[in-house]
Amino acid sequence: MIYIEKTKKHLLEKVWLFRLIASKRNKKLKKRYLKQTLVLNKDFLDNINGYSLDEIQRGVVVSEESSTLVVAGAGSGKSLTILARILYLIKCGIKPTQILVISFTNEACNNLRRNLIKNGIDLDVLTFHKLGLRILKDHNLETDIVPKTVLPTIINNMVENFNNVEIMFPEAPFITIGDGMEHLQRIIIANSEEGKNLKQLFLTFINLFKGANYQKEDFQRFLKLNEKQHRGYTRDKHEAFLTLASQIYDAYEYYLERNRQIDFHDMINKARQMVELRGIKDYQYIIIDEYQDTSLGKCLLLKAIKDYTGAQIMAVGDDFQSIYRFTGTNLALFMDFQKYFPNAQIFKLENTYRNSQTLLNIMGKFILKNQQQIPKQLKSNKIEAYPIYIYYYENSVKEVWELVVNKLESNDVLVLGRNNKDLDVVIGSWPKMTVHQSKGLEADEVILVNLEDKVTGFPNKIINDEVLNYVLDTREVMPFEEERRLFYVAMTRAKIRNHLLVKAKKPSLFVQELLRDNKTGIKVCYHVKYCPKCQGVLSIVREANNLFYSCSRAKCAYKRTL
């Protein structure tokens, strides 16, 4: 018996040693193959639409790994690398129909498709929803899309008629009439801010629930979790919310079934089921852009396609720029890529071509305060002594607007606000948008407004209701994680300089942090100045192309040159 055990141990050791030697040989062979491939394709890789790829980009383009994650820093040539990868595959004899390319917005898909057409290639670039729709049509399934108004209408009716709705917002103005308590819910909820917020909360909850591929039975699990974790008012509130959410879900699913319709979440989930049950066309390569914005349902669809076809998968994105958590994005799918796609090779595109090294140093230190991020050492050859200008104002950005305009060195300007209403005060014809809308864009100069420490400032301090934690796959470890990523996105749009307009009495927490943590690279261009005559605020005005300080009080005529 002892001899047999020793023999088994000896054999296992020999097998382990053989595998180790084979692995090392395999790595050497791979390295040799990669080197030869790069030499053979040097001319091609030297000129992708007039640009020469760097060393890491070249490795991405010719990679033959089964699964690859490309962690692409802001401005690191991500789109160019994806284009080069597709051109390389076709150059190697892969048919366009064997390549599945996915991006998250129609605009991104159209941009890539236009670049491919310029290179003489007609290839489908799909959003996840168009991919899901195509799979369902290929399997002859009903694909009528439910109108967007249906779920809000169901929520509206059910909230207003729920007999325990007052526990969800006890400060709402209920009144007593007649012989007892009469909850005039239809009138009160329809016209109260609390009611509108509550309905939006249900809409967000149901969308997150379906997007993360939860099922009806999960409501019971949530209720048990609530009983275990909460007490008193919080437990009662969560129980009422989950009970009504379950009823809303049932009513919505019944409507979809009765009308033979699906929503976008169904499109993804049912497409995955069809792939698992009946298969899909023979793809050999899958390329996904903006992978940091993936939900669990979308990830599982990709995995089903890869498992069925055996295709190589390449996901490209930047965890620093994951800013859609409350639409179902699960950053863990990016951070734990190898959990879903084992033995994946990870590339980091760290050479950036948009921002200056000074800005990268400042914003790298800023973003890595988030614990849930992949460390990257971004590098740039661009030098800019002061990539951040700060202007303090007392009451309105109008006080410093002329000075900001006078500091601009380029007409390529982007004006960004945290919220749509932030942009109402902006004068000028430059493109104006929220930071969320700016993702993927760039400009020489960026003007960022509403940097005020308030609930709707930047960072935004609106606290999302605790009930969303049941359906959010990842929780924030430290305050303002997503707001920090959003600010990073805003600041890295600038090729030359950011102009930050800051409320002097309530400066943004992020602006305070930048000044506290950095001794160089940031220049304060304007502090609030007061009129020596009446102590009113001095605004900057332009007259005949000259700038002046002018008292903002109408009755005061004080003015002097800047």
Side-chain angles (χ1 to χ4, degrees), residues 188-346:
I188 294 168
I189 295 174
N191 295 294
S192 71
E193 196 63 32
E194 296 94 339
K196 292 175 185 175
N197 291 340
L198 181 63
K199 291 171 187 176
Q200 181 60 47
L201 184 61
F202 276 111
L203 184 64
T204 301
F205 186 95
I206 297 298
N207 279 316
L208 288 171
F209 184 90
K210 297 194 69 174
N213 203 30
Y214 287 111
Q215 304 301 317
K216 169 65 178 175
E217 55 268 24
D218 285 304
F219 280 106
Q220 287 303 314
R221 185 169 61 82
F222 294 160
L223 285 166
K224 289 179 182 177
L225 196 62
N226 176 47
E227 285 288 326
K228 183 179 179 180
Q229 292 184 344
H230 301 117
R231 294 288 180 271
Y233 167 72
T234 301
R235 182 176 63 186
D236 293 343
K237 175 189 172 184
H238 284 209
E239 182 180 351
F241 183 92
L242 292 169
T243 299
L244 182 51
S246 178
Q247 294 174 12
I248 291 169
Y249 175 81
D250 288 343
Y252 183 49
E253 291 298 296
Y254 176 73
Y255 178 95
L256 294 173
E257 184 178 354
R258 187 185 63 193
N259 292 277
R260 298 176 63 82
Q261 293 178 339
I262 61 174
D263 61 18
F264 287 125
H265 305 298
D266 295 326
M267 193 184 296
I268 300 299
N269 296 331
K270 290 181 186 295
R272 173 183 56 80
Q273 293 166 6
M274 286 299 101
V275 173
E276 292 172 345
L277 291 171
R278 303 180 191 174
I280 192 173
K281 64 182 286 188
D282 183 27
Y283 289 115
Q284 291 188 28
Y285 294 89
I286 305 169
I287 301 171
I288 315 101
D289 190 14
E290 303 289 0
Y291 186 73
Q292 77 280 346
D293 295 331
T294 302
S295 66
L296 180 61
K298 293 168 183 173
C299 174
L300 294 177
L301 172 58
L302 291 172
K303 192 174 187 312
I305 296 172
K306 176 173 172 54
D307 289 346
Y308 184 85
T309 62
Q312 293 184 18
I313 187 168
M314 178 176 286
V316 186
D318 183 8
D319 56 300
F320 286 6
Q321 300 184 70
S322 179
I323 57 174
Y324 294 106
R325 181 169 177 253
F326 287 96
T327 64
T329 290
N330 183 352
L331 184 56
L333 300 172
F334 190 95
M335 305 291 288
D336 302 328
F337 184 77
Q338 292 179 324
K339 175 181 175 181
Y340 298 90
F341 303 98
N343 303 313
Q345 182 175 7
I346 298 177

Side-chain angles (χ1 to χ4, degrees), residues 391-407:
Y391 310 78
Y392 289 102
Y393 60 89
E394 177 85 357
N395 300 304
S396 168
V397 298
K398 293 177 182 178
E399 296 166 21
V400 294
W401 190 255
E402 287 293 342
L403 180 59
V404 174
V405 172
N406 198 56
K407 291 281 187 182

Side-chain angles (χ1 to χ4, degrees), residues 366 448 458 483-491 510 514:
F366 176 85
L448 187 57
F458 205 169
E483 288 293 303
R484 186 173 290 271
R485 289 192 290 268
L486 191 61
F487 191 72
Y488 177 88
V489 167
M491 298 290 284
F510 287 163
L514 291 181

Side-chain angles (χ1 to χ4, degrees), residues 481-509:
E481 278 189 20
E482 181 132 329
E483 288 293 303
R484 186 173 290 271
R485 289 192 290 268
L486 191 61
F487 191 72
Y488 177 88
V489 167
M491 298 290 284
T492 54
R493 300 310 93 201
K495 291 190 280 186
I496 298 176
R497 189 172 298 109
N498 288 285
H499 302 264
L500 310 186
L501 277 57
V502 184
K503 190 72 175 283
K505 291 182 180 177
K506 292 184 176 181
S508 158
L509 299 178

